[in-house]
Amino acid sequence: MKKFKKLVVLFYLIGIFAVGCKKDEGEVDIEYPIIDIAFADAFPIQCSTFTRGQTITFKAKFTDNAALGSYSLDIHHNFDHHSHSTEVSNCTAEAVKTPIKPFLLIKTFQIPAGQTMYEANNQLTIPADIDAGDYHFLIKLTDKEGWQTLKGISIKII
Amino acid sequence: MLFLQTFVFAQQAQLTVHVTGARGFAINDARVTINGTRQIYTDSIGQFVLSGIVGATYSLRISKQGYLNENRQIKLESKNQSLTISLATLSHQLDEVLVKENRNLIRKGEEVLNVAVVNSDFIQRNLGGSLMKTLERLPGIKTIGIGSGQSKPLIRGLGFNRVVAVDKGIKHEGQQWGADHGLELDQFAAGEVEILKGATSFMYGSDAIAGVINVKPSRPPLKHTIAGNVDLIGKTNNNLYGTSVNLLGRNDKFFFDTRFTYQDYDDYRVPTDRVYVYDFEVPITNNYLRNTAGKETGIHWSAGVIGEKSNTVFYFSNVHSKSGFFANAHGLEPRKVAAEFHDRSNSDIQLPSQEVNHLKLINRTAYQFEQHKIELELGFQRNFRQEFNQYVNHGYMPANYPSNLQIPKDLEREFDKKVLSANLRNKFILNAHQFTIGTNLEFQDNLINGWTFLVPSFKQYTAGIFIYDQLKLNETLILQGAIRYDYGKMKLAKYTDWFESNDSQKLVRAENLTRNFNSLVWSLGVNYNPSKLFFKANIGKSFRIPIAKELGANGVNYHYFSYEKGDPGLSPEKSYQLDATLGWKERSWSLNISPFYNYFPNYIYLNPTANYDYFYGAGNQVFEYAQSKVIRYGGELEFNYKLTSFLNAEILGEYLYAMQISGVKKGFTLPFSPPPSLLLNLTYSPKDTKLFKDSYFSADYRITGKQHHIVPPEKKTEGYQVINLQIGTSLHFYNQPLRVSLQAQNLTNKKYMNHTSFYRLIALPEAGRDIVLSLKIPFKLVKHNHN
C-alpha cells in the first residue's frame, strides 16, 4: 500500500506541474497581413470603372510583420447582387440581371520569400466580348504562416 | 424434471433478488459478490438468484457504476423468498448513506478509466439545444456548435473523429468530420449517458482517442406495467416548442418502449445588431440571426424478450432534422442576402439549409451461463445528409446551371452513408480475474451527390479483436490490462468534375485509392480505493484510421471560404495518453482532480498554407492535411461542499494546453482548443413537502478565461462570465408526480464569443438570454403489483 501512496503523490506532482507549466508565448506569428489600397496610386478602389477591351493595372501595398505569402485576385459578376464590399461607402448598382457571358478572372501571384513589404503591380486585360455590369473585385492576401486578409471592392465594367 | 430437482434438494433454498434504482427501475449488470468471493451479475431485468441452504447467512455486496455499493447480510429462511434491494444514486444521496456510517462504501465504482455518468434528470435539468450541449456542463466536455440545434462533442479539446459516440451499444456513424454537422441523437430518448475520458481504443477501436460518449437506452419497465410520460419543452430565445411522448409496457417477459419527439424552433437571437464576416459587415435585424430556424423529429420503437438467462431487444429509431445555415456566411465568399426576404419570417427555413435523416436498427442479445456472459450487438444505420444552396458557379463552372444536369439545382452536397456493425463479447470470471474478449466488425458505404465536391465516395471495412482483464487483488485494489488488434481497409472512389475547366478538360479531383491499416493498441490501469481516498490511473495507446476527407478532400469548404486538400499518403494517427483521477471524500465535502498528459507522434490536422488554389475552386486559400507531433496536457477539478443539509456548493474547473512540436505549424496550438474555465455553483434544495418534492434552486456562474493561444485561421477570444439558473420541483397530486424545470441560460443577456463555436471565425456572439421551461408528466395505465 505504501507503494501506492507514493504513486498517488507522484501523480499529484505531475498534475500540479502540468497545470503550472506555461510555455513562453509570443514565439509564433499571430498577426494578419495588411492590404493597403488607400494610397494615391492604388487601383482599383471602391466604385472604380473598367472599360471592356482595356488593360488595367492593379496596384496595392501589402505588409506583414514576419513574411508575406501570396495573393489572389478574383473578378466575378455581381449581377444577382450576391456580393458586397468591405468598404464603408456603397456604389450605385444596376438592376439584377441574368448573366450571358460574364467575365471571370482568378489569378494567383507568389510574393518573393521573406518579404515584409511588397508593392503589387499587375496588368489585367478586360476582354471586349463580355457582359457589362456590376462586378466584384476580391483581393486575398496570405502571410507565410497562413493568416489571410480579404478586401472586397465593388466595380463596374462598361 | 424441475419438480423432481426441487424435491430431491428439499433442504436447498432460493432467494430471488430484484435490484432497482431509487425510482424502481431495474438495474442490470450490477455486480453481486457473495461472501466476498463468488461473483455474479444481475440480468437485464435486474434480478439474480441466490441458492443456498435454509438457515445459512450470506453476505452480499452489490455494486454498479453510478450507484452506491450496498452491503447486506441475508439469512435464507424459506425455500422461495424474494427481496427487492434498491441502490442509491451516487451523486444525489451521499448523505443518507453516510448517516449509516458505511463510509467505505462510497467509491467511484470499479471503473479504471475516468468516468462520469448522467441520467435523464440531469438532462432535463440542464436541457440545451442538443444532447451534447446539455453535457457541456461537465468539466472537460465542450462542444463545437452551429446554430441552436446542432453540436458535436469535444472531450478535453478533441472532437470530430477523435471522439466515439455509442448509441445502444453500436458506434454512431454519421458525417462526424464536419464542424457544421450535429450528432443525430435525440436527447429525450437517452436513459443514461456515460462519458469515458481517456485512451479508449482498446474497447471501441479506431477513433476512441479522446474518449467515448455512451448513450444508453432507458431500462426495461417493471413487470406487468403499462406506463409512460409526456415531456413538454418551451424556449424563449428561439421560440422553441417541443414534446416527447413515451409509452412503455411489459407483461412478464415481453416489453415494448415507444417514443415520439418533435421540436420546432425559429431563428435564434444574439445580443448584437451587426457581425463582421471576415471584414464584410452584416447587419442583423432585431437580433434574429437570419435563417437559423429548424425542426427535429425522433421516432423510437423497441421491443424485447427478457428471460432468466438470456434476453434480446430490437431497437428502431429514426431521427430527422432540418435547419438553416446563417445565410451571410456560406459559400465562396461572404454573401449579401436579400435581408427583407430573409427577415420577413423568423420561422421559415430558406437556403442555405441542411436536412439529415439518421435511421438505426439494432439488436442486442445477451446470454448468461455459469460464469460467462455473452453479448451480441448487430446494427444497421443509414445517415442521409443533404445541404442545399442556390447555385453559384465557381472555378470554371458555367455561369448558369445547365438544364440537362441530373443533380437537383439546389443540391449543393449530399452524403449517403450505410453502416453495418457487429460486436460480440464474452465476459467471464476466473478466480479474481474478470476477462472480456470480443470482436468488432464494421462496414461503411458512403455515396456522394451534389453539384459541388469536397470528399469522394468511399467504402471502409474495419475489424478488431480484443481482450481485457480486470484483476481484483483485494477489496481496494483493481488492476486492468487490455490489448487489441485492428485491421482497416479504406477504398476511395474516383471523382471527375461535371464541368470543363480552362483547357476544356474535366478535372479528376480524386483518384481510386485503396489503403490498408493495421494497429495494435493497449491499455493499463489501476483503481485504488481505500476508505476516503480514491485513485485511478490509466495509460494507453489509441489510434485512428485517416478519414476519407483527410485522404481525399479536394474542394471548397463553404463555411470557411477555404479550399481543402487531402493527402492520400497519411498514416494512421497514434496517441499515447496518461491520465489519473485522485479524489477524497468526506462527509461534507469531496474533491476530485483529474490530470492528463497526451502525446501524438503524428496528429492529422488541416494546415492553412500561404497558397491559393487556381483550378479547383475560386482562388481560395489552400488548407492541406498534414501530420505533426503534438503534446497536450491539462485536467479537470471537481469540488463539492455541503454547507448545510439544504445548501450545496460546487466548483468545476478545466484547463487544457496543446502545442504542435514539429511541422510547419511548430509552436502553434491545435484548432478549437477550449480556454480554461471555472464553474461555481450554489444549490439550495429545500425539504420535501407534501406537494413539492425534490425541489432545487441552483445558480451556475461560469468564468471562462481568454484564449489567445491560436492557430490560423482562428481569432483571439476574450474571456467572459455567464450566469445560468436552474429551478425545479416535483409537484405531487394524488401520488402523481409532475416534474417542472425552469432554466435561465445567459441570464444577463451577455454578449460573448465562444472560442469553440463554429461561428467564432465570423465573430458571431453566442445566443442571448434563453428561458427554458420543461415539464415531465408521467402516467401509469397498468400498475405494477408488488409481489
Side-chain angles (χ1 to χ4, degrees), chain B residues 456-589:
Chain B
S457 290
F458 68 89
K459 285 186 169 71
Q460 181 184 312
Y461 310 78
T462 50
I465 47 167
F466 59 87
I467 179 162
Y468 44 99
D469 175 17
Q470 210 177 65
L471 171 63
K472 194 162 183 174
L473 286 178
N474 56 47
E475 278 304 301
T476 59
L477 186 61
I478 298 168
L479 300 177
Q480 181 171 287
I483 191 155
R484 178 184 174 110
Y485 174 77
D486 279 274
Y487 168 77
K489 184 197 264 287
M490 180 70 114
K491 283 175 92 164
L492 304 189
K494 183 174 172 176
Y495 180 87
T496 309
D497 276 343
W498 54 267
F499 57 93
E500 287 169 358
S501 283
N502 210 9
D503 48 0
S504 302
Q505 291 268 318
K506 286 182 179 174
L507 293 174
V508 175
R509 296 198 173 227
E511 294 287 352
N512 282 323
L513 175 75
T514 301
R515 292 280 311 268
N516 293 298
F517 304 97
N518 294 286
S519 179
L520 190 70
V521 297
W522 49 267
S523 167
L524 287 171
V526 58
N527 182 333
Y528 173 55
N529 216 333
S531 58
K532 289 176 179 173
L533 173 88
F534 67 90
F535 171 74
K536 294 174 187 195
N538 201 70
I539 182 163
K541 180 188 171 191
S542 288
F543 84 107
R544 186 172 71 84
I545 291 175
I547 59 173
K549 188 182 181 226
E550 291 161 341
L551 295 169
N554 195 357
V556 179
N557 179 331
Y558 293 107
H559 301 285
Y560 291 144
F561 316 116
S562 60
Y563 168 78
E564 297 185 358
K565 193 156 180 22
D567 177 356
L570 293 173
S571 58
E573 188 174 86
K574 284 176 278 204
S575 159
Y576 299 89
Q577 184 160 333
L578 169 69
D579 61 88
T581 302
L582 185 62
W584 191 276
K585 275 205 168 105
E586 283 288 348
R587 189 193 170 107
S588 60
W589 62 272

Side-chain angles (χ1 to χ4, degrees), chain B residues 228-331:
Chain B
N229 55 65
V230 177
D231 282 284
L232 298 171
I233 325 104
K235 296 184 187 181
T236 55
N237 181 288
N238 57 356
N239 297 326
L240 178 143
Y241 61 89
T243 183
S244 188
V245 182
N246 180 216
L247 180 72
L248 71 177
R250 175 171 171 190
N251 58 19
D252 189 27
K253 286 184 168 175
F254 295 93
F255 81 92
F256 72 92
D257 192 335
T258 59
R259 180 180 287 277
F260 175 74
T261 304
Y262 177 80
Q263 292 194 91
D264 188 296
Y265 52 91
D266 292 353
D267 295 347
Y268 72 101
R269 273 177 286 178
V270 288
T272 188
D273 59 355
R274 63 197 60 236
V275 295
Y276 289 87
V277 182
Y278 297 92
D279 295 329
F280 291 78
E281 184 193 58
V282 177
I284 304 286
T285 312
N286 296 330
N287 303 112
Y288 283 99
L289 195 63
R290 64 181 60 91
N291 202 41
T292 55
K295 54 183 161 206
E296 207 181 296
T297 54
I299 300 164
H300 309 264
W301 175 84
S302 65
V305 192
I306 296 169
E308 299 241 325
K309 302 216 157 184
S310 64
N311 59 66
T312 184
V313 185
F314 286 91
Y315 299 94
F316 164 84
S317 68
N318 192 71
V319 174
H320 180 266
S321 79
K322 183 173 179 178
S323 60
F325 288 122
F326 176 41
N328 296 87
H330 184 97

